[in-house]
Amino acid sequence: MVAREAYFRYIKNPYCFASLKKLVIAIDGPAASGKSTTARLVARKLGYLHIDTGAMYRAITLRVLEEKISLDDDARIGALAEKTDVRLERLEEENKVYLSDRDVSRAIRNPEVTRSVSTVSSYPAVRSVMVREQRKLAARGGVVLEGRDIGTVVLPEADLKIYLVANVAERARRRKKELDLAGEKIEEQKLVQELIDRDTRDSSREISPLRKADDAVEIDTSHLTIEQQVEFIVRRAKEIIKKLNASHYR
Ligand code: DC
């Protein structure tokens, strides 16, 4: 918007900028497709809130493991999800995950949680609690939610839906780099197999499987830099904001 145009718009209606539309952006895709980094940077560029819904499922999974509940016991796991307080906060550019007041940001990334989270997140009782909370977090707009079912189930009315993919070799390479930095040693071939297994479980479950929404924009990030994919999404978002605001003031 040009400054002069904005000035006249303000003179006509001093409250006009209070109503500038804040989008709801959904980013879905398989494990290690770059969702978290992309969503975090897109949110930062637009001044939006970033919500990592995978972290919410991981936090519940951590509690299940701590309580030593059998992974087959969907009734107890559902009841636990209902009474567990998961909070996401941003602290100095870092996304933090809390179970009540306990910072579990690191613990939810441990290998046992990663191995068990697909099973825990496949239970309808767990999903209904998570979806309810995610919708509450998105209610005021100005949010980037990332996960598996955001564009299809959680927020089918999202203003912009992105589906990120990358070939499995590239995803394993990226995951290895992250783990190396964290001081964890694991063979790349093992990571390839883990990613394939998790993708299979996430996309073949009965309820809210991982799937591209019909109206999502698919981006293959195998040969893109993070900056390129972030730039692409931010540009799309700004186009939508411009269009929505233009029709709002017509
Ligand atoms: O994005 P992630 O790897 O942290 O997600 C962990 C698991 O949580 C993933 O294997 C599937 C599940 N998940 C889900 O079922 N629905 C979401 N919206 C987000 C994650």
Side-chain angles (χ1 to χ4, degrees), residues 31 35 52-55 57-58 109 117-118 121 127 134 146-150 198 202 205:
K35 297 186 301 294
D52 174 357
T53 63
Y57 287 99
R58 285 172 178 272
R109 308 279 160 200
V117 64
S118 289
S121 63
R127 299 205 73 82
Q134 290 156 15
E146 49 138 325
R148 304 293 191 285
D149 60 339
I150 309 301
R198 196 140 67 95
D202 291 343
R205 67 178 174 227

PDB file of all heavy atoms in Angstrom, residues 31 35 52-55 57-58 109 117-118 121 127 134 146-150 198 202 205, ligand 1:
ATOM      1  N   ALA A  31       7.441 -36.149   8.045  1.00  0.00           N
ATOM      2  CA  ALA A  31       8.499 -35.883   9.028  1.00  0.00           C
ATOM      3  C   ALA A  31       9.749 -35.345   8.339  1.00  0.00           C
ATOM      4  O   ALA A  31      10.119 -35.812   7.250  1.00  0.00           O
ATOM      5  CB  ALA A  31       8.837 -37.181   9.763  1.00  0.00           C
ATOM      6  N   LYS A  35       9.224 -28.426   7.937  1.00  0.00           N
ATOM      7  CA  LYS A  35       8.062 -27.646   8.397  1.00  0.00           C
ATOM      8  C   LYS A  35       8.408 -26.687   9.527  1.00  0.00           C
ATOM      9  O   LYS A  35       8.026 -25.526   9.494  1.00  0.00           O
ATOM     10  CB  LYS A  35       6.945 -28.575   8.878  1.00  0.00           C
ATOM     11  CG  LYS A  35       6.361 -29.471   7.825  1.00  0.00           C
ATOM     12  CD  LYS A  35       5.171 -30.245   8.373  1.00  0.00           C
ATOM     13  CE  LYS A  35       5.497 -31.109   9.577  1.00  0.00           C
ATOM     14  NZ  LYS A  35       6.401 -32.227   9.312  1.00  0.00           N
ATOM     15  N   ASP A  52       3.656 -25.295  16.742  1.00  0.00           N
ATOM     16  CA  ASP A  52       4.184 -26.590  16.312  1.00  0.00           C
ATOM     17  C   ASP A  52       3.282 -27.663  16.926  1.00  0.00           C
ATOM     18  O   ASP A  52       3.435 -28.026  18.095  1.00  0.00           O
ATOM     19  CB  ASP A  52       5.632 -26.691  16.820  1.00  0.00           C
ATOM     20  CG  ASP A  52       6.241 -28.061  16.550  1.00  0.00           C
ATOM     21  OD1 ASP A  52       5.541 -28.948  16.036  1.00  0.00           O
ATOM     22  OD2 ASP A  52       7.433 -28.229  16.864  1.00  0.00           O
ATOM     23  N   THR A  53       2.332 -28.172  16.127  1.00  0.00           N
ATOM     24  CA  THR A  53       1.361 -29.115  16.703  1.00  0.00           C
ATOM     25  C   THR A  53       1.996 -30.484  16.962  1.00  0.00           C
ATOM     26  O   THR A  53       1.539 -31.211  17.840  1.00  0.00           O
ATOM     27  CB  THR A  53       0.123 -29.281  15.797  1.00  0.00           C
ATOM     28  OG1 THR A  53       0.522 -29.843  14.542  1.00  0.00           O
ATOM     29  CG2 THR A  53      -0.577 -27.960  15.567  1.00  0.00           C
ATOM     30  N   GLY A  54       3.068 -30.806  16.230  1.00  0.00           N
ATOM     31  CA  GLY A  54       3.780 -32.060  16.495  1.00  0.00           C
ATOM     32  C   GLY A  54       4.344 -32.051  17.910  1.00  0.00           C
ATOM     33  O   GLY A  54       4.347 -33.074  18.603  1.00  0.00           O
ATOM     34  N   ALA A  55       4.789 -30.867  18.359  1.00  0.00           N
ATOM     35  CA  ALA A  55       5.347 -30.751  19.711  1.00  0.00           C
ATOM     36  C   ALA A  55       4.264 -31.058  20.758  1.00  0.00           C
ATOM     37  O   ALA A  55       4.563 -31.618  21.825  1.00  0.00           O
ATOM     38  CB  ALA A  55       5.915 -29.346  19.924  1.00  0.00           C
ATOM     39  N   TYR A  57       1.733 -33.232  20.358  1.00  0.00           N
ATOM     40  CA  TYR A  57       1.590 -34.700  20.406  1.00  0.00           C
ATOM     41  C   TYR A  57       2.794 -35.332  21.096  1.00  0.00           C
ATOM     42  O   TYR A  57       2.672 -36.326  21.818  1.00  0.00           O
ATOM     43  CB  TYR A  57       1.434 -35.266  18.991  1.00  0.00           C
ATOM     44  CG  TYR A  57       0.079 -34.968  18.390  1.00  0.00           C
ATOM     45  CD1 TYR A  57      -0.097 -33.905  17.499  1.00  0.00           C
ATOM     46  CD2 TYR A  57      -1.034 -35.730  18.737  1.00  0.00           C
ATOM     47  CE1 TYR A  57      -1.347 -33.625  16.963  1.00  0.00           C
ATOM     48  CE2 TYR A  57      -2.281 -35.460  18.206  1.00  0.00           C
ATOM     49  CZ  TYR A  57      -2.429 -34.400  17.312  1.00  0.00           C
ATOM     50  OH  TYR A  57      -3.669 -34.123  16.796  1.00  0.00           O
ATOM     51  N   ARG A  58       3.960 -34.746  20.887  1.00  0.00           N
ATOM     52  CA  ARG A  58       5.163 -35.277  21.538  1.00  0.00           C
ATOM     53  C   ARG A  58       5.078 -35.102  23.064  1.00  0.00           C
ATOM     54  O   ARG A  58       5.501 -35.979  23.829  1.00  0.00           O
ATOM     55  CB  ARG A  58       6.410 -34.563  21.012  1.00  0.00           C
ATOM     56  CG  ARG A  58       6.831 -35.003  19.620  1.00  0.00           C
ATOM     57  CD  ARG A  58       7.953 -34.133  19.076  1.00  0.00           C
ATOM     58  NE  ARG A  58       8.371 -34.579  17.768  1.00  0.00           N
ATOM     59  CZ  ARG A  58       9.302 -35.515  17.530  1.00  0.00           C
ATOM     60  NH1 ARG A  58       9.945 -36.067  18.545  1.00  0.00           N
ATOM     61  NH2 ARG A  58       9.605 -35.865  16.316  1.00  0.00           N
ATOM     62  N   ARG A 109      12.062 -34.461  22.237  1.00  0.00           N
ATOM     63  CA  ARG A 109      12.769 -34.851  21.002  1.00  0.00           C
ATOM     64  C   ARG A 109      13.552 -36.140  21.193  1.00  0.00           C
ATOM     65  O   ARG A 109      14.309 -36.541  20.319  1.00  0.00           O
ATOM     66  CB  ARG A 109      13.745 -33.752  20.547  1.00  0.00           C
ATOM     67  CG  ARG A 109      13.135 -32.375  20.418  1.00  0.00           C
ATOM     68  CD  ARG A 109      12.402 -32.186  19.117  1.00  0.00           C
ATOM     69  NE  ARG A 109      11.448 -31.068  19.250  1.00  0.00           N
ATOM     70  CZ  ARG A 109      10.407 -30.879  18.463  1.00  0.00           C
ATOM     71  NH1 ARG A 109      10.158 -31.712  17.489  1.00  0.00           N
ATOM     72  NH2 ARG A 109       9.587 -29.866  18.649  1.00  0.00           N
ATOM     73  N   VAL A 117       5.449 -41.615  19.174  1.00  0.00           N
ATOM     74  CA  VAL A 117       4.462 -40.543  18.972  1.00  0.00           C
ATOM     75  C   VAL A 117       3.425 -40.866  17.892  1.00  0.00           C
ATOM     76  O   VAL A 117       2.256 -40.468  18.013  1.00  0.00           O
ATOM     77  CB  VAL A 117       5.175 -39.175  18.720  1.00  0.00           C
ATOM     78  CG1 VAL A 117       5.985 -39.180  17.438  1.00  0.00           C
ATOM     79  CG2 VAL A 117       4.197 -38.027  18.706  1.00  0.00           C
ATOM     80  N   SER A 118       3.796 -41.624  16.879  1.00  0.00           N
ATOM     81  CA  SER A 118       2.809 -41.945  15.832  1.00  0.00           C
ATOM     82  C   SER A 118       1.666 -42.779  16.398  1.00  0.00           C
ATOM     83  O   SER A 118       0.514 -42.607  16.008  1.00  0.00           O
ATOM     84  CB  SER A 118       3.449 -42.738  14.698  1.00  0.00           C
ATOM     85  OG  SER A 118       4.300 -41.938  13.968  1.00  0.00           O
ATOM     86  N   SER A 121      -0.490 -40.527  18.696  1.00  0.00           N
ATOM     87  CA  SER A 121      -1.264 -39.526  17.947  1.00  0.00           C
ATOM     88  C   SER A 121      -2.302 -40.162  17.022  1.00  0.00           C
ATOM     89  O   SER A 121      -3.070 -39.466  16.387  1.00  0.00           O
ATOM     90  CB  SER A 121      -0.331 -38.619  17.152  1.00  0.00           C
ATOM     91  OG  SER A 121       0.379 -39.374  16.197  1.00  0.00           O
ATOM     92  N   ARG A 127      -6.546 -37.078  19.572  1.00  0.00           N
ATOM     93  CA  ARG A 127      -6.670 -36.097  18.484  1.00  0.00           C
ATOM     94  C   ARG A 127      -7.765 -35.082  18.780  1.00  0.00           C
ATOM     95  O   ARG A 127      -7.622 -33.904  18.505  1.00  0.00           O
ATOM     96  CB  ARG A 127      -6.939 -36.784  17.138  1.00  0.00           C
ATOM     97  CG  ARG A 127      -5.845 -37.731  16.713  1.00  0.00           C
ATOM     98  CD  ARG A 127      -5.799 -37.905  15.217  1.00  0.00           C
ATOM     99  NE  ARG A 127      -5.262 -36.743  14.542  1.00  0.00           N
ATOM    100  CZ  ARG A 127      -3.963 -36.486  14.411  1.00  0.00           C
ATOM    101  NH1 ARG A 127      -3.059 -37.293  14.895  1.00  0.00           N
ATOM    102  NH2 ARG A 127      -3.566 -35.391  13.802  1.00  0.00           N
ATOM    103  N   GLN A 134      -5.835 -26.675  19.366  1.00  0.00           N
ATOM    104  CA  GLN A 134      -5.200 -25.989  18.225  1.00  0.00           C
ATOM    105  C   GLN A 134      -6.149 -24.971  17.610  1.00  0.00           C
ATOM    106  O   GLN A 134      -5.743 -23.876  17.223  1.00  0.00           O
ATOM    107  CB  GLN A 134      -4.748 -27.029  17.188  1.00  0.00           C
ATOM    108  CG  GLN A 134      -3.567 -27.857  17.701  1.00  0.00           C
ATOM    109  CD  GLN A 134      -3.422 -29.215  17.038  1.00  0.00           C
ATOM    110  OE1 GLN A 134      -4.022 -29.473  16.003  1.00  0.00           O
ATOM    111  NE2 GLN A 134      -2.642 -30.086  17.634  1.00  0.00           N
ATOM    112  N   GLU A 146       1.800 -25.741  12.072  1.00  0.00           N
ATOM    113  CA  GLU A 146       2.418 -26.802  11.262  1.00  0.00           C
ATOM    114  C   GLU A 146       2.088 -28.160  11.854  1.00  0.00           C
ATOM    115  O   GLU A 146       1.985 -28.288  13.076  1.00  0.00           O
ATOM    116  CB  GLU A 146       3.928 -26.614  11.177  1.00  0.00           C
ATOM    117  CG  GLU A 146       4.562 -26.386  12.524  1.00  0.00           C
ATOM    118  CD  GLU A 146       5.838 -27.124  12.741  1.00  0.00           C
ATOM    119  OE1 GLU A 146       5.997 -28.255  12.249  1.00  0.00           O
ATOM    120  OE2 GLU A 146       6.687 -26.575  13.453  1.00  0.00           O
ATOM    121  N   GLY A 147       1.889 -29.129  10.951  1.00  0.00           N
ATOM    122  CA  GLY A 147       1.574 -30.475  11.431  1.00  0.00           C
ATOM    123  C   GLY A 147       1.326 -31.434  10.297  1.00  0.00           C
ATOM    124  O   GLY A 147       2.058 -31.431   9.288  1.00  0.00           O
ATOM    125  N   ARG A 148       0.311 -32.292  10.470  1.00  0.00           N
ATOM    126  CA  ARG A 148      -0.011 -33.289   9.448  1.00  0.00           C
ATOM    127  C   ARG A 148      -1.418 -33.099   8.891  1.00  0.00           C
ATOM    128  O   ARG A 148      -1.681 -33.472   7.761  1.00  0.00           O
ATOM    129  CB  ARG A 148       0.052 -34.716  10.047  1.00  0.00           C
ATOM    130  CG  ARG A 148       1.378 -35.091  10.695  1.00  0.00           C
ATOM    131  CD  ARG A 148       2.475 -35.195   9.664  1.00  0.00           C
ATOM    132  NE  ARG A 148       3.700 -35.788  10.190  1.00  0.00           N
ATOM    133  CZ  ARG A 148       4.562 -35.171  10.980  1.00  0.00           C
ATOM    134  NH1 ARG A 148       4.343 -33.935  11.362  1.00  0.00           N
ATOM    135  NH2 ARG A 148       5.669 -35.772  11.391  1.00  0.00           N
ATOM    136  N   ASP A 149      -2.312 -32.556   9.744  1.00  0.00           N
ATOM    137  CA  ASP A 149      -3.734 -32.494   9.377  1.00  0.00           C
ATOM    138  C   ASP A 149      -4.283 -31.077   9.516  1.00  0.00           C
ATOM    139  O   ASP A 149      -5.475 -30.892   9.700  1.00  0.00           O
ATOM    140  CB  ASP A 149      -4.530 -33.424  10.304  1.00  0.00           C
ATOM    141  CG  ASP A 149      -4.382 -33.018  11.766  1.00  0.00           C
ATOM    142  OD1 ASP A 149      -3.401 -32.315  12.105  1.00  0.00           O
ATOM    143  OD2 ASP A 149      -5.242 -33.381  12.580  1.00  0.00           O
ATOM    144  N   ILE A 150      -3.422 -30.083   9.486  1.00  0.00           N
ATOM    145  CA  ILE A 150      -3.899 -28.714   9.745  1.00  0.00           C
ATOM    146  C   ILE A 150      -4.822 -28.239   8.615  1.00  0.00           C
ATOM    147  O   ILE A 150      -5.930 -27.769   8.864  1.00  0.00           O
ATOM    148  CB  ILE A 150      -2.716 -27.720   9.928  1.00  0.00           C
ATOM    149  CG1 ILE A 150      -1.714 -28.260  10.962  1.00  0.00           C
ATOM    150  CG2 ILE A 150      -3.235 -26.344  10.330  1.00  0.00           C
ATOM    151  CD1 ILE A 150      -2.278 -28.504  12.318  1.00  0.00           C
ATOM    152  N   ARG A 198       7.675 -43.946   9.991  1.00  0.00           N
ATOM    153  CA  ARG A 198       6.789 -42.953  10.603  1.00  0.00           C
ATOM    154  C   ARG A 198       5.815 -42.384   9.555  1.00  0.00           C
ATOM    155  O   ARG A 198       4.634 -42.229   9.809  1.00  0.00           O
ATOM    156  CB  ARG A 198       7.618 -41.835  11.258  1.00  0.00           C
ATOM    157  CG  ARG A 198       6.806 -40.998  12.230  1.00  0.00           C
ATOM    158  CD  ARG A 198       7.608 -40.660  13.457  1.00  0.00           C
ATOM    159  NE  ARG A 198       8.717 -39.771  13.154  1.00  0.00           N
ATOM    160  CZ  ARG A 198       8.646 -38.461  13.272  1.00  0.00           C
ATOM    161  NH1 ARG A 198       7.534 -37.884  13.654  1.00  0.00           N
ATOM    162  NH2 ARG A 198       9.704 -37.715  13.035  1.00  0.00           N
ATOM    163  N   ASP A 202       1.842 -42.459   9.852  1.00  0.00           N
ATOM    164  CA  ASP A 202       1.098 -41.194   9.875  1.00  0.00           C
ATOM    165  C   ASP A 202       0.116 -41.077   8.710  1.00  0.00           C
ATOM    166  O   ASP A 202      -0.917 -40.427   8.821  1.00  0.00           O
ATOM    167  CB  ASP A 202       2.057 -39.989   9.846  1.00  0.00           C
ATOM    168  CG  ASP A 202       2.856 -39.858  11.139  1.00  0.00           C
ATOM    169  OD1 ASP A 202       2.454 -40.474  12.148  1.00  0.00           O
ATOM    170  OD2 ASP A 202       3.880 -39.142  11.141  1.00  0.00           O
ATOM    171  N   ARG A 205      -3.005 -44.107   9.024  1.00  0.00           N
ATOM    172  CA  ARG A 205      -3.936 -44.235  10.151  1.00  0.00           C
ATOM    173  C   ARG A 205      -5.340 -43.856   9.684  1.00  0.00           C
ATOM    174  O   ARG A 205      -5.506 -43.100   8.716  1.00  0.00           O
ATOM    175  CB  ARG A 205      -3.485 -43.366  11.328  1.00  0.00           C
ATOM    176  CG  ARG A 205      -3.576 -41.901  11.044  1.00  0.00           C
ATOM    177  CD  ARG A 205      -3.177 -41.054  12.247  1.00  0.00           C
ATOM    178  NE  ARG A 205      -3.155 -39.664  11.866  1.00  0.00           N
ATOM    179  CZ  ARG A 205      -2.185 -38.818  12.140  1.00  0.00           C
ATOM    180  NH1 ARG A 205      -1.130 -39.216  12.826  1.00  0.00           N
ATOM    181  NH2 ARG A 205      -2.268 -37.571  11.755  1.00  0.00           N
TER     182      ARG A 205
HETATM  183  O1   DC B   1       6.278 -32.927  13.318  1.00  0.00           O
HETATM  184  P1   DC B   1       6.765 -33.952  14.354  1.00  0.00           P
HETATM  185  O2   DC B   1       7.707 -34.957  13.788  1.00  0.00           O
HETATM  186  O3   DC B   1       7.273 -33.313  15.595  1.00  0.00           O
HETATM  187  O4   DC B   1       5.420 -34.745  14.755  1.00  0.00           O
HETATM  188  C1   DC B   1       5.446 -35.816  15.650  1.00  0.00           C
HETATM  189  C2   DC B   1       4.306 -36.780  15.363  1.00  0.00           C
HETATM  190  O5   DC B   1       3.061 -36.209  15.742  1.00  0.00           O
HETATM  191  C3   DC B   1       4.161 -37.225  13.928  1.00  0.00           C
HETATM  192  O6   DC B   1       4.824 -38.441  13.704  1.00  0.00           O
HETATM  193  C4   DC B   1       2.683 -37.377  13.725  1.00  0.00           C
HETATM  194  C5   DC B   1       2.045 -36.593  14.836  1.00  0.00           C
HETATM  195  N1   DC B   1       1.338 -35.415  14.400  1.00  0.00           N
HETATM  196  C6   DC B   1       0.031 -35.566  14.007  1.00  0.00           C
HETATM  197  O7   DC B   1      -0.462 -36.682  13.973  1.00  0.00           O
HETATM  198  N2   DC B   1      -0.698 -34.475  13.674  1.00  0.00           N
HETATM  199  C7   DC B   1      -0.160 -33.241  13.682  1.00  0.00           C
HETATM  200  N3   DC B   1      -0.923 -32.187  13.368  1.00  0.00           N
HETATM  201  C8   DC B   1       1.181 -33.075  14.055  1.00  0.00           C
HETATM  202  C9   DC B   1       1.925 -34.194  14.390  1.00  0.00           C
END
